[in-house]
PDB file of all heavy atoms in Angstrom:
ATOM      1  N   LEU A  48       7.160  16.013  11.294  1.00 93.00           N
ATOM      2  CA  LEU A  48       7.393  14.673  11.704  1.00 93.00           C
ATOM      3  C   LEU A  48       8.012  14.862  13.060  1.00 93.00           C
ATOM      4  O   LEU A  48       7.757  13.944  14.035  1.00 93.00           O
ATOM      5  CB  LEU A  48       8.196  13.855  10.706  1.00 93.00           C
ATOM      6  CG  LEU A  48       8.361  12.309  11.070  1.00 93.00           C
ATOM      7  CD1 LEU A  48       6.979  11.672  11.615  1.00 93.00           C
ATOM      8  CD2 LEU A  48       8.808  11.612   9.855  1.00 93.00           C
ATOM      9  N   VAL A  50       7.665  17.043  15.245  1.00 92.00           N
ATOM     10  CA  VAL A  50       6.697  17.458  16.259  1.00 92.00           C
ATOM     11  C   VAL A  50       5.686  16.272  16.512  1.00 92.00           C
ATOM     12  O   VAL A  50       5.403  15.936  17.660  1.00 92.00           O
ATOM     13  CB  VAL A  50       5.836  18.615  15.832  1.00 92.00           C
ATOM     14  CG1 VAL A  50       4.690  18.865  16.755  1.00 92.00           C
ATOM     15  CG2 VAL A  50       6.670  19.881  15.674  1.00 92.00           C
ATOM     16  N   LEU A  51       5.223  15.731  15.479  1.00 92.00           N
ATOM     17  CA  LEU A  51       4.182  14.602  15.637  1.00 92.00           C
ATOM     18  C   LEU A  51       4.901  13.424  16.511  1.00 92.00           C
ATOM     19  O   LEU A  51       4.058  12.726  17.314  1.00 92.00           O
ATOM     20  CB  LEU A  51       3.838  13.971  14.321  1.00 92.00           C
ATOM     21  CG  LEU A  51       2.949  14.854  13.424  1.00 92.00           C
ATOM     22  CD1 LEU A  51       2.830  14.193  11.986  1.00 92.00           C
ATOM     23  CD2 LEU A  51       1.557  14.889  13.970  1.00 92.00           C
ATOM     24  N   CYS A  52       6.126  13.087  16.328  1.00 93.00           N
ATOM     25  CA  CYS A  52       6.664  11.856  16.826  1.00 93.00           C
ATOM     26  C   CYS A  52       7.799  12.249  17.930  1.00 93.00           C
ATOM     27  O   CYS A  52       8.371  11.233  18.445  1.00 93.00           O
ATOM     28  CB  CYS A  52       7.191  10.993  15.771  1.00 93.00           C
ATOM     29  SG  CYS A  52       5.927  10.505  14.608  1.00 93.00           S
ATOM     30  N   GLY A  53       7.876  13.486  18.278  1.00 92.00           N
ATOM     31  CA  GLY A  53       8.984  13.781  19.261  1.00 92.00           C
ATOM     32  C   GLY A  53      10.393  13.334  18.816  1.00 92.00           C
ATOM     33  O   GLY A  53      11.192  12.727  19.600  1.00 92.00           O
TER      34      GLY A  53
ATOM     35  N   LYS B  23       2.338  16.476  19.083  1.00 91.00           N
ATOM     36  CA  LYS B  23       2.824  15.142  19.467  1.00 91.00           C
ATOM     37  C   LYS B  23       1.695  14.117  19.528  1.00 91.00           C
ATOM     38  O   LYS B  23       0.754  14.406  20.293  1.00 91.00           O
ATOM     39  CB  LYS B  23       3.661  15.149  20.727  1.00 91.00           C
ATOM     40  CG  LYS B  23       4.238  13.756  21.043  1.00 91.00           C
ATOM     41  CD  LYS B  23       5.360  13.824  22.038  1.00 91.00           C
ATOM     42  CE  LYS B  23       5.895  12.486  22.434  1.00 91.00           C
ATOM     43  NZ  LYS B  23       7.114  12.458  23.239  1.00 91.00           N
ATOM     44  N   ILE B  24       1.765  13.074  18.772  1.00 91.00           N
ATOM     45  CA  ILE B  24       0.802  12.020  18.824  1.00 91.00           C
ATOM     46  C   ILE B  24       0.864  11.301  20.196  1.00 91.00           C
ATOM     47  O   ILE B  24       1.882  10.841  20.513  1.00 91.00           O
ATOM     48  CB  ILE B  24       0.950  10.995  17.700  1.00 91.00           C
ATOM     49  CG1 ILE B  24       0.731  11.730  16.345  1.00 91.00           C
ATOM     50  CG2 ILE B  24      -0.048   9.882  17.852  1.00 91.00           C
ATOM     51  CD1 ILE B  24       1.139  10.871  15.136  1.00 91.00           C
ATOM     52  N   LYS B  25      -0.207  11.236  20.901  1.00 89.00           N
ATOM     53  CA  LYS B  25      -0.174  10.744  22.234  1.00 89.00           C
ATOM     54  C   LYS B  25      -0.047   9.264  22.329  1.00 89.00           C
ATOM     55  O   LYS B  25       0.754   8.721  23.072  1.00 89.00           O
ATOM     56  CB  LYS B  25      -1.393  11.190  23.008  1.00 89.00           C
ATOM     57  CG  LYS B  25      -1.386  12.753  23.194  1.00 89.00           C
ATOM     58  CD  LYS B  25      -2.493  13.170  24.212  1.00 89.00           C
ATOM     59  CE  LYS B  25      -2.518  14.666  24.407  1.00 89.00           C
ATOM     60  NZ  LYS B  25      -2.991  15.413  23.142  1.00 89.00           N
ATOM     61  N   CYS B  26      -0.794   8.504  21.499  1.00 89.00           N
ATOM     62  CA  CYS B  26      -0.743   7.044  21.608  1.00 89.00           C
ATOM     63  C   CYS B  26       0.542   6.593  21.070  1.00 89.00           C
ATOM     64  O   CYS B  26       0.890   6.843  19.787  1.00 89.00           O
ATOM     65  CB  CYS B  26      -1.939   6.607  20.792  1.00 89.00           C
ATOM     66  SG  CYS B  26      -1.777   4.747  20.506  1.00 89.00           S
ATOM     67  N   PRO B  27       1.368   5.876  21.807  1.00 91.00           N
ATOM     68  CA  PRO B  27       2.671   5.483  21.407  1.00 91.00           C
ATOM     69  C   PRO B  27       2.650   4.525  20.127  1.00 91.00           C
ATOM     70  O   PRO B  27       3.524   4.727  19.321  1.00 91.00           O
ATOM     71  CB  PRO B  27       3.199   4.641  22.635  1.00 91.00           C
ATOM     72  CG  PRO B  27       2.468   5.246  23.788  1.00 91.00           C
ATOM     73  CD  PRO B  27       1.056   5.472  23.217  1.00 91.00           C
ATOM     74  N   SER B  28       1.645   3.722  20.015  1.00 89.00           N
ATOM     75  CA  SER B  28       1.713   2.768  18.885  1.00 89.00           C
ATOM     76  C   SER B  28       1.350   3.510  17.694  1.00 89.00           C
ATOM     77  O   SER B  28       1.977   3.396  16.552  1.00 89.00           O
ATOM     78  CB  SER B  28       0.677   1.590  19.136  1.00 89.00           C
ATOM     79  OG  SER B  28      -0.613   2.062  19.278  1.00 89.00           O
ATOM     80  N   ALA B  29       0.392   4.441  17.636  1.00 91.00           N
ATOM     81  CA  ALA B  29       0.049   5.267  16.449  1.00 91.00           C
ATOM     82  C   ALA B  29       1.256   6.123  16.156  1.00 91.00           C
ATOM     83  O   ALA B  29       1.529   6.400  14.984  1.00 91.00           O
ATOM     84  CB  ALA B  29      -1.197   6.122  16.900  1.00 91.00           C
ATOM     85  N   ARG B  30       1.929   6.669  17.192  1.00 93.00           N
ATOM     86  CA  ARG B  30       3.146   7.470  16.935  1.00 93.00           C
ATOM     87  C   ARG B  30       4.213   6.738  16.126  1.00 93.00           C
ATOM     88  O   ARG B  30       4.800   7.228  15.207  1.00 93.00           O
ATOM     89  CB  ARG B  30       3.568   7.976  18.268  1.00 93.00           C
ATOM     90  CG  ARG B  30       4.612   9.150  18.214  1.00 93.00           C
ATOM     91  CD  ARG B  30       4.824   9.912  19.479  1.00 93.00           C
ATOM     92  NE  ARG B  30       5.414   9.043  20.504  1.00 93.00           N
ATOM     93  CZ  ARG B  30       4.977   8.824  21.687  1.00 93.00           C
ATOM     94  NH1 ARG B  30       3.807   9.432  22.134  1.00 93.00           N
ATOM     95  NH2 ARG B  30       5.518   8.086  22.498  1.00 93.00           N
ATOM     96  N   GLN B  31       4.350   5.509  16.597  1.00 93.00           N
ATOM     97  CA  GLN B  31       5.410   4.614  15.915  1.00 93.00           C
ATOM     98  C   GLN B  31       5.037   4.377  14.544  1.00 93.00           C
ATOM     99  O   GLN B  31       5.907   4.511  13.602  1.00 93.00           O
ATOM    100  CB  GLN B  31       5.551   3.332  16.731  1.00 93.00           C
ATOM    101  CG  GLN B  31       6.271   2.207  16.016  1.00 93.00           C
ATOM    102  CD  GLN B  31       7.674   2.629  15.637  1.00 93.00           C
ATOM    103  OE1 GLN B  31       8.318   3.406  16.448  1.00 93.00           O
ATOM    104  NE2 GLN B  31       8.159   2.150  14.567  1.00 93.00           N
ATOM    105  N   VAL B  32       3.736   4.099  14.280  1.00 93.00           N
ATOM    106  CA  VAL B  32       3.333   3.867  12.834  1.00 93.00           C
ATOM    107  C   VAL B  32       3.509   5.114  12.071  1.00 93.00           C
ATOM    108  O   VAL B  32       4.101   4.911  10.901  1.00 93.00           O
ATOM    109  CB  VAL B  32       1.724   3.435  12.903  1.00 93.00           C
ATOM    110  CG1 VAL B  32       1.290   3.468  11.403  1.00 93.00           C
ATOM    111  CG2 VAL B  32       1.605   2.065  13.527  1.00 93.00           C
ATOM    112  N   THR B  33       3.128   6.204  12.594  1.00 94.00           N
ATOM    113  CA  THR B  33       3.321   7.523  11.745  1.00 94.00           C
ATOM    114  C   THR B  33       4.780   7.739  11.566  1.00 94.00           C
ATOM    115  O   THR B  33       5.196   8.154  10.490  1.00 94.00           O
ATOM    116  CB  THR B  33       2.695   8.652  12.574  1.00 94.00           C
ATOM    117  OG1 THR B  33       1.264   8.442  12.569  1.00 94.00           O
ATOM    118  CG2 THR B  33       2.969  10.007  11.901  1.00 94.00           C
ATOM    119  N   PHE B  34       5.669   7.483  12.500  1.00 95.00           N
ATOM    120  CA  PHE B  34       7.059   7.704  12.294  1.00 95.00           C
ATOM    121  C   PHE B  34       7.558   6.897  11.223  1.00 95.00           C
ATOM    122  O   PHE B  34       8.308   7.398  10.421  1.00 95.00           O
ATOM    123  CB  PHE B  34       7.777   7.394  13.573  1.00 95.00           C
ATOM    124  CG  PHE B  34       9.237   7.674  13.608  1.00 95.00           C
ATOM    125  CD1 PHE B  34       9.672   9.077  13.476  1.00 95.00           C
ATOM    126  CD2 PHE B  34      10.276   6.722  13.629  1.00 95.00           C
ATOM    127  CE1 PHE B  34      11.077   9.423  13.454  1.00 95.00           C
ATOM    128  CE2 PHE B  34      11.594   7.012  13.573  1.00 95.00           C
ATOM    129  CZ  PHE B  34      11.968   8.357  13.465  1.00 95.00           C
ATOM    130  N   SER B  35       7.218   5.595  11.184  1.00 92.00           N
ATOM    131  CA  SER B  35       7.687   4.695  10.186  1.00 92.00           C
ATOM    132  C   SER B  35       7.171   5.174   8.758  1.00 92.00           C
ATOM    133  O   SER B  35       8.015   5.316   7.797  1.00 92.00           O
ATOM    134  CB  SER B  35       7.201   3.331  10.435  1.00 92.00           C
ATOM    135  OG  SER B  35       7.756   2.810  11.592  1.00 92.00           O
ATOM    136  N   GLY B  63      12.080   9.002  19.035  1.00 86.00           N
ATOM    137  CA  GLY B  63      11.927   9.214  20.458  1.00 86.00           C
ATOM    138  C   GLY B  63      12.642   8.155  21.370  1.00 86.00           C
ATOM    139  O   GLY B  63      13.108   8.410  22.314  1.00 86.00           O
TER     140      GLY B  63
END
Side-chain angles (χ1 to χ4, degrees):
Chain A
L48 188 44
V50 174
L51 288 169
C52 300
Chain B
K23 183 161 179 173
I24 296 170
K25 294 190 181 69
C26 171
S28 62
R30 193 164 65 231
Q31 167 59 33
V32 169
T33 292
F34 185 70
S35 297

